[in-house]
Amino acid sequence: MARLGETLRTQREKKGITLEQAASDTRIREKFLKGLEDGDYQTLPGTVYTKGFLRNYAEYLELNTEELVVQFHQERDLPDVPRSFKPMNPIMRRSLIFTPAVLVPVVVLAGIVLFVSYLYYQFVSFAVPPKLEVTDPPTDSIAQSADFVVRGRTVPDGRVTVQVFPGPLTVADIRPSADGTFSVNVQLSPGANHIVVEVLDTTGKVGRASRTVRLETATATSPGEPVIIVEQPANGATFTNTPVLVSGRFDPSVAALTVNGVQVPISDARSFEIRFTYPAGPQTITIVARNAAGATSTETRTVSVTYTAAVVNVTVKGGEAWLQATVDGTVVPGTGRVFREGESATYTGREVRLRS
């Protein structure tokens, strides 16, 4: 049986991944990954943390996690080399004589102090996340402009990443200044924006903080024109293997609403939501609101649609139909039955087969 380290190194090299790239992708320090591959367990932290690193690394390399954890225990728990101890002769200094009755309690006390110190070191080094403080915004807030600045303070040697949802928008590898302060400009979408700030320190620990910022904007309208607030999608957003969700709110004067020419029902809640399935590529979404006087307001969004798999949308029309779907060689649970008229479903995979 190949050793644990050889299995990890062979799989990583097979995938053409360098240690530096693997450390960046998994956020595990490179020296810990090298220790796993070299079988150098003396350079690794405690067993609990090493097992966590091994599980994350194995999932990253698409290996069997449980088998590698068992192999790790088998290799790490090899019997230690027997140690021999020579009897200690009493030490005499002037009138103080170190006899076994005096020496044993001192040794026991020193061992307890060293053990407690080791536990504290392990806790500080591997359990406590790096300090992270978001100073702007200090709490959840409301913004009037889509251009927004996130500021904070953390450890000077950390790497900061800021993500904004929906979007998603990611700004990575932000380097704090010498005093640990940092700032980054982000773009907000109309409605609620969830901002997640993460910092990765040199030991591989992650600190995290979040804020919710609501962007309150309305379309520029002339007197008498209806008002639309489009919350989804964000302009320039990318959708992968999913329909495009269009949602928002409108004022009570709106009597008719269309999205890309499709009539949207007017609800008492004065909100709308509709999904579109587009082919791959850039797509333009046009939302038009009209009031009883005939005045209109128009909002547009441009999004990008991509596909990394086969996405098949099925809608039964003209009567009932028996339907069975097979995705990547496996029959989808819930199919192989009669679908009612108007019933729809979506199947995604590398290969989708339908029988009807």
Side-chain angles (χ1 to χ4, degrees), residues 91-312:
I91 301 175
M92 299 182 61
R93 292 179 181 268
R94 296 182 182 178
S95 60
L96 180 62
I97 300 176
F98 285 91
T99 63
V102 175
L103 187 60
V104 171
V106 172
V107 172
V108 171
L109 180 60
I112 293 174
V113 171
L114 289 175
F115 180 70
V116 172
S117 300
Y118 172 76
L119 290 180
Y120 176 77
Y121 170 76
Q122 291 285 340
F123 177 78
V124 172
S125 299
F126 302 104
V128 179
K131 177 182 177 182
L132 175 61
E133 178 186 4
V134 177
T135 57
D136 191 9
T139 60
D140 295 347
S141 60
I142 297 176
Q144 302 298 325
S145 172
D147 296 320
F148 195 79
V149 180
V150 179
R151 297 183 178 89
R153 182 179 293 104
T154 185
V155 290
D157 57 354
R159 289 191 298 174
V160 178
T161 300
V162 177
Q163 293 181 293
V164 182
F165 301 93
L169 169 67
T170 301
V171 183
D173 204 24
I174 304 167
R175 302 289 180 170
S177 58
D179 62 354
T181 58
F182 64 89
S183 65
V184 59
N185 293 314
V186 298
Q187 288 290 315
L188 302 180
S189 303
N193 295 262
H194 188 59
I195 301 175
V196 179
V197 183
E198 290 185 349
V199 58
L200 174 69
D201 67 9
T202 55
T203 65
K205 300 188 298 296
V206 177
R208 183 179 290 103
S210 64
R211 296 287 188 272
T212 298
V213 179
R214 186 171 187 84
L215 177 60
E216 294 288 356
T217 59
T219 56
T221 60
S222 302
E225 292 185 357
V227 177
I228 319 170
I229 298 177
V230 180
E231 298 175 340
Q232 293 286 347
N235 200 36
T238 298
F239 293 83
T240 303
N241 298 338
T242 61
V244 177
L245 170 65
V246 184
S247 65
R249 295 177 285 123
F250 48 86
D251 71 351
S253 69
V254 173
L257 184 71
T258 60
V259 179
N260 279 9
V262 177
Q263 192 77 27
V264 178
I266 301 297
S267 68
D268 294 336
R270 298 297 168 184
S271 63
F272 65 93
E273 180 177 303
I274 188 171
R275 286 175 170 80
F276 290 92
T277 301
Y278 291 113
Q283 305 292 337
T284 300
I285 302 170
T286 303
I287 305 100
V288 179
R290 177 178 287 101
N291 60 20
T296 62
S297 293
T298 302
E299 271 280 293
T300 60
R301 293 287 187 272
T302 300
V303 299
S304 179
V305 178
T306 62
Y307 291 97
T308 60
V311 180
V312 181

